[in-house]
Amino acid sequence: VTTVLTAEGPNAEQIRYWNEAAGPRWVANQEVLDRQIAPLGLAAMDRAAIRPGEHVLDVGCGCGATTIELARRVAPGGSVLGLDLSRVMLEAAREAAEGAGVAGVRFENADAQTYAPESGGLDLVFSRFGVMFFAEPEAAFANLARALRSGGRLAFVCWQALPLNPWMAVPVMAAMQHVQLPPPPAPGAPGPFSFADEGRVREILAAAGFADIALAPHHAKLAVGGGRNLDATVEIMLQLGPAAAALRDASEEVRGRVRPAVREALAPYWTESGVSMDSACWLVTARRP
Ligand SMILES: C[S@@+](CC[C@H](N)C(=O)[O-])C[C@H]1O[C@@H](n2cnc3c(N)ncnc32)[C@H](O)[C@@H]1O
């Protein structure tokens, strides 16, 4: 990772968040998180119809699982640039890419809202849950459109609304019995659900200059906790996601009460292969004219 991003500019708060708060937790739980959301990233890639030789930007690539899979799909002759605000997550990504032995992969610690890839003329801008955190989404997507060649594609996956994602809503509701939730973010404020509204996504992408905008609803059972046991899954829910956010300032005593409540709420979803719950996301595609 050659560059070092300082917490400045429009996304300074997110740079801090993904380096100090969320990044180390994502790195620590990387395997589980990857197993949990891998099928959703693959579904977005399938819709992107990636071909060997293509040049791809992976926005908010995190710990690099999608960057590696994209590199496999563009081989031989293609390339993938993984961009992320989080240096800690990129370190994990670099290590994983080296371990996977894929060619044509590069990572940059940069803000996708402002970063201009040297090459430009890319074939595809891809993201698995990495485009919902921009302070100025129209500016960010206009910037991403400029990185594409004419006819280049955009393909990403983002969450639909929280109530349609019981795997996140159920733990939050359990936590709510013991801790006051922070006020809900303003509609469209950066966060996991900022792209939940189809009309808003269409407006942002159209304003950024994209054409052929399509949102396909994607409903899937998720292996919550990556197929691990119930207690391990509860711990992950308390560390990452909306329930964890609600517990950010909670005392050990409160956490001690929330833990069994979340366990009880998740128990009905236990199956032979782990906790299995419904999820809903959008598979979004568009094209630079
Ligand atoms: C929910 S995580 C998803 C990580 C990864 N794509 C995955 O699926 O495992 C969101 C990622 O987007 C990154 N991110 C958020 N805003 C960004 C921005 N403006 N530029 C680059 N990366 C960003 C975060 O640092 C984080 O790694």
mmCIF file with all atom_site columns, all heavy atoms in Angstrom, residues 11 18 26 34 37 59-62 66 83-86 89 110-113 128-130 133-134, ligand 1:
data_model
loop_
_atom_site.group_PDB
_atom_site.id
_atom_site.type_symbol
_atom_site.label_atom_id
_atom_site.label_alt_id
_atom_site.label_comp_id
_atom_site.label_asym_id
_atom_site.label_entity_id
_atom_site.label_seq_id
_atom_site.pdbx_PDB_ins_code
_atom_site.Cartn_x
_atom_site.Cartn_y
_atom_site.Cartn_z
_atom_site.occupancy
_atom_site.B_iso_or_equiv
_atom_site.pdbx_formal_charge
_atom_site.auth_seq_id
_atom_site.auth_comp_id
_atom_site.auth_asym_id
_atom_site.auth_atom_id
_atom_site.pdbx_PDB_model_num
ATOM   1   N N   . ASN A 1 11  ? -14.720 13.103  3.254  1.00 0.00 ? 11  ASN A N   1
ATOM   2   C CA  . ASN A 1 11  ? -15.012 11.834  3.931  1.00 0.00 ? 11  ASN A CA  1
ATOM   3   C C   . ASN A 1 11  ? -14.108 11.589  5.140  1.00 0.00 ? 11  ASN A C   1
ATOM   4   O O   . ASN A 1 11  ? -13.867 10.432  5.516  1.00 0.00 ? 11  ASN A O   1
ATOM   5   C CB  . ASN A 1 11  ? -14.917 10.681  2.926  1.00 0.00 ? 11  ASN A CB  1
ATOM   6   C CG  . ASN A 1 11  ? -15.998 10.787  1.854  1.00 0.00 ? 11  ASN A CG  1
ATOM   7   O OD1 . ASN A 1 11  ? -17.174 10.942  2.174  1.00 0.00 ? 11  ASN A OD1 1
ATOM   8   N ND2 . ASN A 1 11  ? -15.612 10.735  0.598  1.00 0.00 ? 11  ASN A ND2 1
ATOM   9   N N   . TRP A 1 18  ? -13.225 3.932   9.395  1.00 0.00 ? 18  TRP A N   1
ATOM   10  C CA  . TRP A 1 18  ? -12.774 2.677   8.776  1.00 0.00 ? 18  TRP A CA  1
ATOM   11  C C   . TRP A 1 18  ? -11.329 2.345   9.109  1.00 0.00 ? 18  TRP A C   1
ATOM   12  O O   . TRP A 1 18  ? -10.859 1.246   8.817  1.00 0.00 ? 18  TRP A O   1
ATOM   13  C CB  . TRP A 1 18  ? -13.000 2.704   7.266  1.00 0.00 ? 18  TRP A CB  1
ATOM   14  C CG  . TRP A 1 18  ? -14.467 2.620   6.928  1.00 0.00 ? 18  TRP A CG  1
ATOM   15  C CD1 . TRP A 1 18  ? -15.270 3.651   6.514  1.00 0.00 ? 18  TRP A CD1 1
ATOM   16  C CD2 . TRP A 1 18  ? -15.315 1.465   7.025  1.00 0.00 ? 18  TRP A CD2 1
ATOM   17  N NE1 . TRP A 1 18  ? -16.556 3.197   6.344  1.00 0.00 ? 18  TRP A NE1 1
ATOM   18  C CE2 . TRP A 1 18  ? -16.612 1.872   6.642  1.00 0.00 ? 18  TRP A CE2 1
ATOM   19  C CE3 . TRP A 1 18  ? -15.101 0.142   7.381  1.00 0.00 ? 18  TRP A CE3 1
ATOM   20  C CZ2 . TRP A 1 18  ? -17.693 0.997   6.623  1.00 0.00 ? 18  TRP A CZ2 1
ATOM   21  C CZ3 . TRP A 1 18  ? -16.183 -0.745  7.355  1.00 0.00 ? 18  TRP A CZ3 1
ATOM   22  C CH2 . TRP A 1 18  ? -17.452 -0.312  6.982  1.00 0.00 ? 18  TRP A CH2 1
ATOM   23  N N   . TRP A 1 26  ? -13.169 -5.562  11.222 1.00 0.00 ? 26  TRP A N   1
ATOM   24  C CA  . TRP A 1 26  ? -13.358 -6.280  9.948  1.00 0.00 ? 26  TRP A CA  1
ATOM   25  C C   . TRP A 1 26  ? -12.181 -7.215  9.708  1.00 0.00 ? 26  TRP A C   1
ATOM   26  O O   . TRP A 1 26  ? -12.368 -8.350  9.274  1.00 0.00 ? 26  TRP A O   1
ATOM   27  C CB  . TRP A 1 26  ? -13.497 -5.297  8.771  1.00 0.00 ? 26  TRP A CB  1
ATOM   28  C CG  . TRP A 1 26  ? -14.917 -4.905  8.530  1.00 0.00 ? 26  TRP A CG  1
ATOM   29  C CD1 . TRP A 1 26  ? -15.641 -4.024  9.276  1.00 0.00 ? 26  TRP A CD1 1
ATOM   30  C CD2 . TRP A 1 26  ? -15.799 -5.378  7.500  1.00 0.00 ? 26  TRP A CD2 1
ATOM   31  N NE1 . TRP A 1 26  ? -16.916 -3.918  8.764  1.00 0.00 ? 26  TRP A NE1 1
ATOM   32  C CE2 . TRP A 1 26  ? -17.043 -4.734  7.671  1.00 0.00 ? 26  TRP A CE2 1
ATOM   33  C CE3 . TRP A 1 26  ? -15.650 -6.277  6.446  1.00 0.00 ? 26  TRP A CE3 1
ATOM   34  C CZ2 . TRP A 1 26  ? -18.128 -4.967  6.843  1.00 0.00 ? 26  TRP A CZ2 1
ATOM   35  C CZ3 . TRP A 1 26  ? -16.741 -6.501  5.601  1.00 0.00 ? 26  TRP A CZ3 1
ATOM   36  C CH2 . TRP A 1 26  ? -17.966 -5.861  5.806  1.00 0.00 ? 26  TRP A CH2 1
ATOM   37  N N   . ASP A 1 34  ? -16.476 -12.628 5.120  1.00 0.00 ? 34  ASP A N   1
ATOM   38  C CA  . ASP A 1 34  ? -16.392 -13.011 3.708  1.00 0.00 ? 34  ASP A CA  1
ATOM   39  C C   . ASP A 1 34  ? -17.352 -14.147 3.404  1.00 0.00 ? 34  ASP A C   1
ATOM   40  O O   . ASP A 1 34  ? -18.040 -14.126 2.389  1.00 0.00 ? 34  ASP A O   1
ATOM   41  C CB  . ASP A 1 34  ? -14.964 -13.418 3.343  1.00 0.00 ? 34  ASP A CB  1
ATOM   42  C CG  . ASP A 1 34  ? -14.110 -12.213 2.979  1.00 0.00 ? 34  ASP A CG  1
ATOM   43  O OD1 . ASP A 1 34  ? -14.685 -11.195 2.550  1.00 0.00 ? 34  ASP A OD1 1
ATOM   44  O OD2 . ASP A 1 34  ? -12.888 -12.282 3.129  1.00 0.00 ? 34  ASP A OD2 1
ATOM   45  N N   . ILE A 1 37  ? -21.043 -12.798 3.247  1.00 0.00 ? 37  ILE A N   1
ATOM   46  C CA  . ILE A 1 37  ? -21.515 -11.961 2.128  1.00 0.00 ? 37  ILE A CA  1
ATOM   47  C C   . ILE A 1 37  ? -20.942 -12.367 0.774  1.00 0.00 ? 37  ILE A C   1
ATOM   48  O O   . ILE A 1 37  ? -21.296 -11.763 -0.248 1.00 0.00 ? 37  ILE A O   1
ATOM   49  C CB  . ILE A 1 37  ? -21.262 -10.449 2.380  1.00 0.00 ? 37  ILE A CB  1
ATOM   50  C CG1 . ILE A 1 37  ? -19.784 -10.175 2.660  1.00 0.00 ? 37  ILE A CG1 1
ATOM   51  C CG2 . ILE A 1 37  ? -22.163 -9.928  3.488  1.00 0.00 ? 37  ILE A CG2 1
ATOM   52  C CD1 . ILE A 1 37  ? -19.463 -8.686  2.812  1.00 0.00 ? 37  ILE A CD1 1
ATOM   53  N N   . VAL A 1 59  ? -14.183 -0.723  -5.673 1.00 0.00 ? 59  VAL A N   1
ATOM   54  C CA  . VAL A 1 59  ? -14.355 0.428   -4.776 1.00 0.00 ? 59  VAL A CA  1
ATOM   55  C C   . VAL A 1 59  ? -14.654 -0.045  -3.348 1.00 0.00 ? 59  VAL A C   1
ATOM   56  O O   . VAL A 1 59  ? -15.578 -0.819  -3.140 1.00 0.00 ? 59  VAL A O   1
ATOM   57  C CB  . VAL A 1 59  ? -15.509 1.331   -5.272 1.00 0.00 ? 59  VAL A CB  1
ATOM   58  C CG1 . VAL A 1 59  ? -15.747 2.484   -4.308 1.00 0.00 ? 59  VAL A CG1 1
ATOM   59  C CG2 . VAL A 1 59  ? -15.219 1.839   -6.667 1.00 0.00 ? 59  VAL A CG2 1
ATOM   60  N N   . GLY A 1 60  ? -13.885 0.454   -2.393 1.00 0.00 ? 60  GLY A N   1
ATOM   61  C CA  . GLY A 1 60  ? -14.064 0.039   -0.997 1.00 0.00 ? 60  GLY A CA  1
ATOM   62  C C   . GLY A 1 60  ? -13.805 -1.452  -0.876 1.00 0.00 ? 60  GLY A C   1
ATOM   63  O O   . GLY A 1 60  ? -14.600 -2.189  -0.316 1.00 0.00 ? 60  GLY A O   1
ATOM   64  N N   . CYS A 1 61  ? -12.641 -1.869  -1.401 1.00 0.00 ? 61  CYS A N   1
ATOM   65  C CA  . CYS A 1 61  ? -12.333 -3.311  -1.546 1.00 0.00 ? 61  CYS A CA  1
ATOM   66  C C   . CYS A 1 61  ? -12.099 -3.986  -0.204 1.00 0.00 ? 61  CYS A C   1
ATOM   67  O O   . CYS A 1 61  ? -12.052 -5.213  -0.138 1.00 0.00 ? 61  CYS A O   1
ATOM   68  C CB  . CYS A 1 61  ? -11.115 -3.491  -2.436 1.00 0.00 ? 61  CYS A CB  1
ATOM   69  S SG  . CYS A 1 61  ? -9.611  -2.790  -1.703 1.00 0.00 ? 61  CYS A SG  1
ATOM   70  N N   . GLY A 1 62  ? -11.921 -3.226  0.867  1.00 0.00 ? 62  GLY A N   1
ATOM   71  C CA  . GLY A 1 62  ? -11.758 -3.797  2.205  1.00 0.00 ? 62  GLY A CA  1
ATOM   72  C C   . GLY A 1 62  ? -10.612 -4.785  2.267  1.00 0.00 ? 62  GLY A C   1
ATOM   73  O O   . GLY A 1 62  ? -9.493  -4.470  1.851  1.00 0.00 ? 62  GLY A O   1
ATOM   74  N N   . THR A 1 66  ? -13.045 -9.679  -2.812 1.00 0.00 ? 66  THR A N   1
ATOM   75  C CA  . THR A 1 66  ? -13.621 -9.461  -4.150 1.00 0.00 ? 66  THR A CA  1
ATOM   76  C C   . THR A 1 66  ? -12.530 -9.091  -5.155 1.00 0.00 ? 66  THR A C   1
ATOM   77  O O   . THR A 1 66  ? -12.611 -9.479  -6.327 1.00 0.00 ? 66  THR A O   1
ATOM   78  C CB  . THR A 1 66  ? -14.669 -8.330  -4.123 1.00 0.00 ? 66  THR A CB  1
ATOM   79  O OG1 . THR A 1 66  ? -14.098 -7.186  -3.469 1.00 0.00 ? 66  THR A OG1 1
ATOM   80  C CG2 . THR A 1 66  ? -15.927 -8.766  -3.387 1.00 0.00 ? 66  THR A CG2 1
ATOM   81  N N   . LEU A 1 83  ? -9.415  -0.021  -4.197 1.00 0.00 ? 83  LEU A N   1
ATOM   82  C CA  . LEU A 1 83  ? -9.325  1.271   -3.501 1.00 0.00 ? 83  LEU A CA  1
ATOM   83  C C   . LEU A 1 83  ? -10.017 1.172   -2.163 1.00 0.00 ? 83  LEU A C   1
ATOM   84  O O   . LEU A 1 83  ? -11.122 0.643   -2.078 1.00 0.00 ? 83  LEU A O   1
ATOM   85  C CB  . LEU A 1 83  ? -10.103 2.333   -4.283 1.00 0.00 ? 83  LEU A CB  1
ATOM   86  C CG  . LEU A 1 83  ? -9.502  3.110   -5.422 1.00 0.00 ? 83  LEU A CG  1
ATOM   87  C CD1 . LEU A 1 83  ? -10.403 4.307   -5.719 1.00 0.00 ? 83  LEU A CD1 1
ATOM   88  C CD2 . LEU A 1 83  ? -8.087  3.555   -5.130 1.00 0.00 ? 83  LEU A CD2 1
ATOM   89  N N   . ASP A 1 84  ? -9.409  1.713   -1.127 1.00 0.00 ? 84  ASP A N   1
ATOM   90  C CA  . ASP A 1 84  ? -10.098 1.738   0.161  1.00 0.00 ? 84  ASP A CA  1
ATOM   91  C C   . ASP A 1 84  ? -9.545  2.843   1.046  1.00 0.00 ? 84  ASP A C   1
ATOM   92  O O   . ASP A 1 84  ? -8.379  3.209   0.962  1.00 0.00 ? 84  ASP A O   1
ATOM   93  C CB  . ASP A 1 84  ? -9.983  0.389   0.880  1.00 0.00 ? 84  ASP A CB  1
ATOM   94  C CG  . ASP A 1 84  ? -11.151 0.169   1.838  1.00 0.00 ? 84  ASP A CG  1
ATOM   95  O OD1 . ASP A 1 84  ? -11.135 0.772   2.935  1.00 0.00 ? 84  ASP A OD1 1
ATOM   96  O OD2 . ASP A 1 84  ? -12.093 -0.558  1.472  1.00 0.00 ? 84  ASP A OD2 1
ATOM   97  N N   . LEU A 1 85  ? -10.430 3.371   1.899  1.00 0.00 ? 85  LEU A N   1
ATOM   98  C CA  . LEU A 1 85  ? -10.035 4.390   2.879  1.00 0.00 ? 85  LEU A CA  1
ATOM   99  C C   . LEU A 1 85  ? -9.196  3.781   3.988  1.00 0.00 ? 85  LEU A C   1
ATOM   100 O O   . LEU A 1 85  ? -8.464  4.487   4.668  1.00 0.00 ? 85  LEU A O   1
ATOM   101 C CB  . LEU A 1 85  ? -11.290 4.982   3.551  1.00 0.00 ? 85  LEU A CB  1
ATOM   102 C CG  . LEU A 1 85  ? -12.318 5.708   2.707  1.00 0.00 ? 85  LEU A CG  1
ATOM   103 C CD1 . LEU A 1 85  ? -13.446 6.208   3.621  1.00 0.00 ? 85  LEU A CD1 1
ATOM   104 C CD2 . LEU A 1 85  ? -11.677 6.882   1.992  1.00 0.00 ? 85  LEU A CD2 1
ATOM   105 N N   . SER A 1 86  ? -9.364  2.466   4.207  1.00 0.00 ? 86  SER A N   1
ATOM   106 C CA  . SER A 1 86  ? -8.825  1.834   5.406  1.00 0.00 ? 86  SER A CA  1
ATOM   107 C C   . SER A 1 86  ? -7.489  1.160   5.142  1.00 0.00 ? 86  SER A C   1
ATOM   108 O O   . SER A 1 86  ? -7.407  0.146   4.447  1.00 0.00 ? 86  SER A O   1
ATOM   109 C CB  . SER A 1 86  ? -9.822  0.795   5.930  1.00 0.00 ? 86  SER A CB  1
ATOM   110 O OG  . SER A 1 86  ? -9.261  0.122   7.030  1.00 0.00 ? 86  SER A OG  1
ATOM   111 N N   . MET A 1 89  ? -7.337  -2.454  6.598  1.00 0.00 ? 89  MET A N   1
ATOM   112 C CA  . MET A 1 89  ? -8.016  -3.452  5.775  1.00 0.00 ? 89  MET A CA  1
ATOM   113 C C   . MET A 1 89  ? -7.201  -3.736  4.509  1.00 0.00 ? 89  MET A C   1
ATOM   114 O O   . MET A 1 89  ? -7.115  -4.874  4.052  1.00 0.00 ? 89  MET A O   1
ATOM   115 C CB  . MET A 1 89  ? -9.443  -3.000  5.457  1.00 0.00 ? 89  MET A CB  1
ATOM   116 C CG  . MET A 1 89  ? -10.335 -3.024  6.703  1.00 0.00 ? 89  MET A CG  1
ATOM   117 S SD  . MET A 1 89  ? -11.920 -2.194  6.500  1.00 0.00 ? 89  MET A SD  1
ATOM   118 C CE  . MET A 1 89  ? -12.914 -3.438  5.689  1.00 0.00 ? 89  MET A CE  1
ATOM   119 N N   . ALA A 1 110 ? -6.985  5.241   -0.796 1.00 0.00 ? 110 ALA A N   1
ATOM   120 C CA  . ALA A 1 110 ? -7.474  6.484   -1.384 1.00 0.00 ? 110 ALA A CA  1
ATOM   121 C C   . ALA A 1 110 ? -8.985  6.575   -1.266 1.00 0.00 ? 110 ALA A C   1
ATOM   122 O O   . ALA A 1 110 ? -9.663  5.567   -1.062 1.00 0.00 ? 110 ALA A O   1
ATOM   123 C CB  . ALA A 1 110 ? -7.072  6.548   -2.856 1.00 0.00 ? 110 ALA A CB  1
ATOM   124 N N   . ASP A 1 111 ? -9.487  7.792   -1.403 1.00 0.00 ? 111 ASP A N   1
ATOM   125 C CA  . ASP A 1 111 ? -10.924 8.058   -1.348 1.00 0.00 ? 111 ASP A CA  1
ATOM   126 C C   . ASP A 1 111 ? -11.492 7.969   -2.762 1.00 0.00 ? 111 ASP A C   1
ATOM   127 O O   . ASP A 1 111 ? -11.115 8.746   -3.641 1.00 0.00 ? 111 ASP A O   1
ATOM   128 C CB  . ASP A 1 111 ? -11.133 9.462   -0.768 1.00 0.00 ? 111 ASP A CB  1
ATOM   129 C CG  . ASP A 1 111 ? -12.600 9.796   -0.573 1.00 0.00 ? 111 ASP A CG  1
ATOM   130 O OD1 . ASP A 1 111 ? -13.459 9.116   -1.183 1.00 0.00 ? 111 ASP A OD1 1
ATOM   131 O OD2 . ASP A 1 111 ? -12.885 10.737  0.175  1.00 0.00 ? 111 ASP A OD2 1
ATOM   132 N N   . ALA A 1 112 ? -12.406 7.027   -2.974 1.00 0.00 ? 112 ALA A N   1
ATOM   133 C CA  . ALA A 1 112 ? -12.973 6.819   -4.310 1.00 0.00 ? 112 ALA A CA  1
ATOM   134 C C   . ALA A 1 112 ? -13.757 8.034   -4.793 1.00 0.00 ? 112 ALA A C   1
ATOM   135 O O   . ALA A 1 112 ? -14.021 8.174   -5.986 1.00 0.00 ? 112 ALA A O   1
ATOM   136 C CB  . ALA A 1 112 ? -13.875 5.586   -4.316 1.00 0.00 ? 112 ALA A CB  1
ATOM   137 N N   . GLN A 1 113 ? -14.118 8.920   -3.870 1.00 0.00 ? 113 GLN A N   1
ATOM   138 C CA  . GLN A 1 113 ? -14.861 10.127  -4.268 1.00 0.00 ? 113 GLN A CA  1
ATOM   139 C C   . GLN A 1 113 ? -13.974 11.105  -5.038 1.00 0.00 ? 113 GLN A C   1
ATOM   140 O O   . GLN A 1 113 ? -14.461 11.875  -5.856 1.00 0.00 ? 113 GLN A O   1
ATOM   141 C CB  . GLN A 1 113 ? -15.434 10.805  -3.012 1.00 0.00 ? 113 GLN A CB  1
ATOM   142 C CG  . GLN A 1 113 ? -16.338 11.977  -3.340 1.00 0.00 ? 113 GLN A CG  1
ATOM   143 C CD  . GLN A 1 113 ? -17.050 12.525  -2.117 1.00 0.00 ? 113 GLN A CD  1
ATOM   144 O OE1 . GLN A 1 113 ? -17.499 11.772  -1.265 1.00 0.00 ? 113 GLN A OE1 1
ATOM   145 N NE2 . GLN A 1 113 ? -17.149 13.835  -2.022 1.00 0.00 ? 113 GLN A NE2 1
ATOM   146 N N   . ARG A 1 128 ? -18.624 -4.275  -3.639 1.00 0.00 ? 128 ARG A N   1
ATOM   147 C CA  . ARG A 1 128 ? -19.469 -5.069  -2.741 1.00 0.00 ? 128 ARG A CA  1
ATOM   148 C C   . ARG A 1 128 ? -19.599 -4.257  -1.456 1.00 0.00 ? 128 ARG A C   1
ATOM   149 O O   . ARG A 1 128 ? -18.690 -4.194  -0.650 1.00 0.00 ? 128 ARG A O   1
ATOM   150 C CB  . ARG A 1 128 ? -18.783 -6.424  -2.470 1.00 0.00 ? 128 ARG A CB  1
ATOM   151 C CG  . ARG A 1 128 ? -19.593 -7.355  -1.585 1.00 0.00 ? 128 ARG A CG  1
ATOM   152 C CD  . ARG A 1 128 ? -18.901 -8.709  -1.407 1.00 0.00 ? 128 ARG A CD  1
ATOM   153 N NE  . ARG A 1 128 ? -17.901 -8.710  -0.357 1.00 0.00 ? 128 ARG A NE  1
ATOM   154 C CZ  . ARG A 1 128 ? -17.194 -9.786  0.011  1.00 0.00 ? 128 ARG A CZ  1
ATOM   155 N NH1 . ARG A 1 128 ? -17.364 -10.928 -0.601 1.00 0.00 ? 128 ARG A NH1 1
ATOM   156 N NH2 . ARG A 1 128 ? -16.305 -9.706  0.984  1.00 0.00 ? 128 ARG A NH2 1
ATOM   157 N N   . PHE A 1 129 ? -20.720 -3.577  -1.314 1.00 0.00 ? 129 PHE A N   1
ATOM   158 C CA  . PHE A 1 129 ? -21.044 -2.813  -0.099 1.00 0.00 ? 129 PHE A CA  1
ATOM   159 C C   . PHE A 1 129 ? -20.008 -1.730  0.243  1.00 0.00 ? 129 PHE A C   1
ATOM   160 O O   . PHE A 1 129 ? -19.796 -1.425  1.414  1.00 0.00 ? 129 PHE A O   1
ATOM   161 C CB  . PHE A 1 129 ? -21.232 -3.760  1.101  1.00 0.00 ? 129 PHE A CB  1
ATOM   162 C CG  . PHE A 1 129 ? -22.287 -4.808  0.873  1.00 0.00 ? 129 PHE A CG  1
ATOM   163 C CD1 . PHE A 1 129 ? -21.957 -6.165  0.836  1.00 0.00 ? 129 PHE A CD1 1
ATOM   164 C CD2 . PHE A 1 129 ? -23.609 -4.441  0.666  1.00 0.00 ? 129 PHE A CD2 1
ATOM   165 C CE1 . PHE A 1 129 ? -22.930 -7.137  0.598  1.00 0.00 ? 129 PHE A CE1 1
ATOM   166 C CE2 . PHE A 1 129 ? -24.589 -5.405  0.440  1.00 0.00 ? 129 PHE A CE2 1
ATOM   167 C CZ  . PHE A 1 129 ? -24.242 -6.750  0.405  1.00 0.00 ? 129 PHE A CZ  1
ATOM   168 N N   . GLY A 1 130 ? -19.385 -1.139  -0.795 1.00 0.00 ? 130 GLY A N   1
ATOM   169 C CA  . GLY A 1 130 ? -18.370 -0.109  -0.527 1.00 0.00 ? 130 GLY A CA  1
ATOM   170 C C   . GLY A 1 130 ? -18.728 1.267   -1.050 1.00 0.00 ? 130 GLY A C   1
ATOM   171 O O   . GLY A 1 130 ? -17.898 2.179   -0.998 1.00 0.00 ? 130 GLY A O   1
ATOM   172 N N   . PHE A 1 133 ? -21.030 5.063   1.537  1.00 0.00 ? 133 PHE A N   1
ATOM   173 C CA  . PHE A 1 133 ? -20.447 5.866   2.620  1.00 0.00 ? 133 PHE A CA  1
ATOM   174 C C   . PHE A 1 133 ? -19.918 7.219   2.152  1.00 0.00 ? 133 PHE A C   1
ATOM   175 O O   . PHE A 1 133 ? -19.188 7.885   2.879  1.00 0.00 ? 133 PHE A O   1
ATOM   176 C CB  . PHE A 1 133 ? -19.327 5.059   3.297  1.00 0.00 ? 133 PHE A CB  1
ATOM   177 C CG  . PHE A 1 133 ? -19.798 3.699   3.752  1.00 0.00 ? 133 PHE A CG  1
ATOM   178 C CD1 . PHE A 1 133 ? -19.627 2.582   2.950  1.00 0.00 ? 133 PHE A CD1 1
ATOM   179 C CD2 . PHE A 1 133 ? -20.450 3.548   4.958  1.00 0.00 ? 133 PHE A CD2 1
ATOM   180 C CE1 . PHE A 1 133 ? -20.078 1.328   3.353  1.00 0.00 ? 133 PHE A CE1 1
ATOM   181 C CE2 . PHE A 1 133 ? -20.918 2.303   5.372  1.00 0.00 ? 133 PHE A CE2 1
ATOM   182 C CZ  . PHE A 1 133 ? -20.727 1.190   4.573  1.00 0.00 ? 133 PHE A CZ  1
ATOM   183 N N   . PHE A 1 134 ? -20.263 7.615   0.925  1.00 0.00 ? 134 PHE A N   1
ATOM   184 C CA  . PHE A 1 134 ? -19.772 8.883   0.388  1.00 0.00 ? 134 PHE A CA  1
ATOM   185 C C   . PHE A 1 134 ? -20.545 10.057  0.979  1.00 0.00 ? 134 PHE A C   1
ATOM   186 O O   . PHE A 1 134 ? -21.782 10.031  1.006  1.00 0.00 ? 134 PHE A O   1
ATOM   187 C CB  . PHE A 1 134 ? -19.951 8.941   -1.131 1.00 0.00 ? 134 PHE A CB  1
ATOM   188 C CG  . PHE A 1 134 ? -19.240 7.848   -1.893 1.00 0.00 ? 134 PHE A CG  1
ATOM   189 C CD1 . PHE A 1 134 ? -19.918 7.076   -2.820 1.00 0.00 ? 134 PHE A CD1 1
ATOM   190 C CD2 . PHE A 1 134 ? -17.891 7.606   -1.685 1.00 0.00 ? 134 PHE A CD2 1
ATOM   191 C CE1 . PHE A 1 134 ? -19.270 6.081   -3.543 1.00 0.00 ? 134 PHE A CE1 1
ATOM   192 C CE2 . PHE A 1 134 ? -17.225 6.607   -2.396 1.00 0.00 ? 134 PHE A CE2 1
ATOM   193 C CZ  . PHE A 1 134 ? -17.918 5.850   -3.327 1.00 0.00 ? 134 PHE A CZ  1
HETATM 194 C C1  . LIG B 2 .   ? -18.961 -2.575  4.405  1.00 0.00 ? 1   LIG B C1  1
HETATM 195 S S1  . LIG B 2 .   ? -17.254 -2.479  4.027  1.00 0.00 ? 1   LIG B S1  1
HETATM 196 C C2  . LIG B 2 .   ? -17.127 -3.599  2.660  1.00 0.00 ? 1   LIG B C2  1
HETATM 197 C C3  . LIG B 2 .   ? -15.728 -4.052  2.396  1.00 0.00 ? 1   LIG B C3  1
HETATM 198 C C4  . LIG B 2 .   ? -15.540 -5.015  1.230  1.00 0.00 ? 1   LIG B C4  1
HETATM 199 N N1  . LIG B 2 .   ? -15.996 -4.457  -0.033 1.00 0.00 ? 1   LIG B N1  1
HETATM 200 C C5  . LIG B 2 .   ? -16.252 -6.333  1.480  1.00 0.00 ? 1   LIG B C5  1
HETATM 201 O O1  . LIG B 2 .   ? -17.292 -6.584  0.877  1.00 0.00 ? 1   LIG B O1  1
HETATM 202 O O2  . LIG B 2 .   ? -15.746 -7.117  2.296  1.00 0.00 ? 1   LIG B O2  1
HETATM 203 C C6  . LIG B 2 .   ? -17.151 -0.873  3.256  1.00 0.00 ? 1   LIG B C6  1
HETATM 204 C C7  . LIG B 2 .   ? -15.774 -0.533  2.754  1.00 0.00 ? 1   LIG B C7  1
HETATM 205 O O3  . LIG B 2 .   ? -15.830 0.664   1.972  1.00 0.00 ? 1   LIG B O3  1
HETATM 206 C C8  . LIG B 2 .   ? -14.718 1.454   2.267  1.00 0.00 ? 1   LIG B C8  1
HETATM 207 N N2  . LIG B 2 .   ? -15.030 2.858   1.906  1.00 0.00 ? 1   LIG B N2  1
HETATM 208 C C9  . LIG B 2 .   ? -16.006 3.640   2.419  1.00 0.00 ? 1   LIG B C9  1
HETATM 209 N N3  . LIG B 2 .   ? -15.999 4.855   1.841  1.00 0.00 ? 1   LIG B N3  1
HETATM 210 C C10 . LIG B 2 .   ? -15.004 4.831   0.914  1.00 0.00 ? 1   LIG B C10 1
HETATM 211 C C11 . LIG B 2 .   ? -14.462 5.806   0.001  1.00 0.00 ? 1   LIG B C11 1
HETATM 212 N N4  . LIG B 2 .   ? -14.958 7.048   -0.065 1.00 0.00 ? 1   LIG B N4  1
HETATM 213 N N5  . LIG B 2 .   ? -13.409 5.455   -0.776 1.00 0.00 ? 1   LIG B N5  1
HETATM 214 C C12 . LIG B 2 .   ? -12.866 4.206   -0.695 1.00 0.00 ? 1   LIG B C12 1
HETATM 215 N N6  . LIG B 2 .   ? -13.326 3.259   0.159  1.00 0.00 ? 1   LIG B N6  1
HETATM 216 C C13 . LIG B 2 .   ? -14.373 3.554   0.953  1.00 0.00 ? 1   LIG B C13 1
HETATM 217 C C14 . LIG B 2 .   ? -14.490 1.219   3.747  1.00 0.00 ? 1   LIG B C14 1
HETATM 218 O O4  . LIG B 2 .   ? -13.195 1.587   4.163  1.00 0.00 ? 1   LIG B O4  1
HETATM 219 C C15 . LIG B 2 .   ? -14.766 -0.282  3.859  1.00 0.00 ? 1   LIG B C15 1
HETATM 220 O O5  . LIG B 2 .   ? -13.617 -1.044  3.634  1.00 0.00 ? 1   LIG B O5  1
#
